[in-house]
Amino acid sequence: MSESLSASQSASQSVSQSIPQQALILFAHGARDPAWAAPFESLQQLIQRQRPQLLVRLAFLELMQPDLPQLLQQLVAAGVSEASVVPVFLGQGGHVRRDLPALIAQARQQHPQLTITVAQAAGEQPDVQNAIAQYCISTLPQR
């Protein structure tokens, strides 16, 4: 009996330690100052707590690691088959309109087995804008 329990525990541990098939990638610009990444790391942890079965990772356009191609390579090597990229930018500037699509096109050529979806810039979503507006209003002195 203890052998079957032990085998059952081992099997469940290996399943719980396996890499999920789906990943959520928070894509940010990057900066020279490592402290700049703190809010993005907090966001990553918040999402990971809310969706523990999901693989949530950060990738950067420049100045920080991993960059998006590096991270996608790691995910494919780990067996991930779907990646959803969310640009954590306030708007659809040049990085989101030009640089990101070029990186995604290159990744799709290099990793045809990986399904990649790309969301709009986070800051263009009404819920995000409303949250930022509420924060801005909350900074006003009380009268």
Side-chain angles (χ1 to χ4, degrees), residues 101-117:
L103 290 169
I104 297 298
Q106 178 185 14
R108 286 180 174 145
Q109 284 184 331
Q110 290 176 340
H111 310 292
Q113 72 279 27
L114 182 64
T115 301
I116 305 170
T117 58

Side-chain angles (χ1 to χ4, degrees), residues 30-81:
R32 286 182 180 82
D33 182 353
W36 174 89
F40 301 97
E41 292 164 349
S42 293
L43 179 61
Q44 176 191 15
Q45 293 165 9
L46 179 64
I47 296 168
Q48 192 67 75
R49 282 193 304 273
Q50 291 178 13
R51 297 286 301 272
Q53 74 285 4
L54 184 64
L55 190 60
V56 183
R57 295 291 182 262
L58 288 172
F60 301 97
L61 177 64
E62 58 188 14
L63 304 171
M64 298 183 115
Q65 297 296 317
D67 62 20
L68 187 58
Q70 215 176 13
L71 178 61
L72 290 171
Q73 175 64 42
Q74 292 168 2
L75 293 175
V76 167
V80 171
S81 59

Side-chain angles (χ1 to χ4, degrees), residues 2-143:
S2 65
E3 283 182 37
S4 70
L5 180 59
S6 177
S8 171
Q9 287 173 336
S10 293
S12 70
Q13 285 174 347
S14 68
V15 168
S16 67
Q17 292 173 355
S18 67
I19 297 292
Q21 293 296 305
Q22 186 180 39
L24 176 63
I25 300 169
L26 306 176
F27 180 67
H29 187 277
R32 286 182 180 82
D33 182 353
W36 174 89
F40 301 97
E41 292 164 349
S42 293
L43 179 61
Q44 176 191 15
Q45 293 165 9
L46 179 64
I47 296 168
Q48 192 67 75
R49 282 193 304 273
Q50 291 178 13
R51 297 286 301 272
Q53 74 285 4
L54 184 64
L55 190 60
V56 183
R57 295 291 182 262
L58 288 172
F60 301 97
L61 177 64
E62 58 188 14
L63 304 171
M64 298 183 115
Q65 297 296 317
D67 62 20
L68 187 58
Q70 215 176 13
L71 178 61
L72 290 171
Q73 175 64 42
Q74 292 168 2
L75 293 175
V76 167
V80 171
S81 59
E82 297 177 23
S84 183
V85 179
V86 177
V88 191
F89 286 72
L90 282 178
Q92 302 269 19
H95 291 314
V96 175
R97 282 196 324 267
R98 288 187 304 274
D99 299 334
L100 180 56
L103 290 169
I104 297 298
Q106 178 185 14
R108 286 180 174 145
Q109 284 184 331
Q110 290 176 340
H111 310 292
Q113 72 279 27
L114 182 64
T115 301
I116 305 170
T117 58
V118 181
Q120 282 187 318
E124 295 195 353
Q125 297 305 305
D127 289 345
V128 174
Q129 291 176 353
N130 284 329
I132 293 171
Q134 288 305 307
Y135 166 73
C136 293
I137 292 167
S138 77
T139 67
L140 293 171
Q142 296 295 318
R143 289 186 185 206

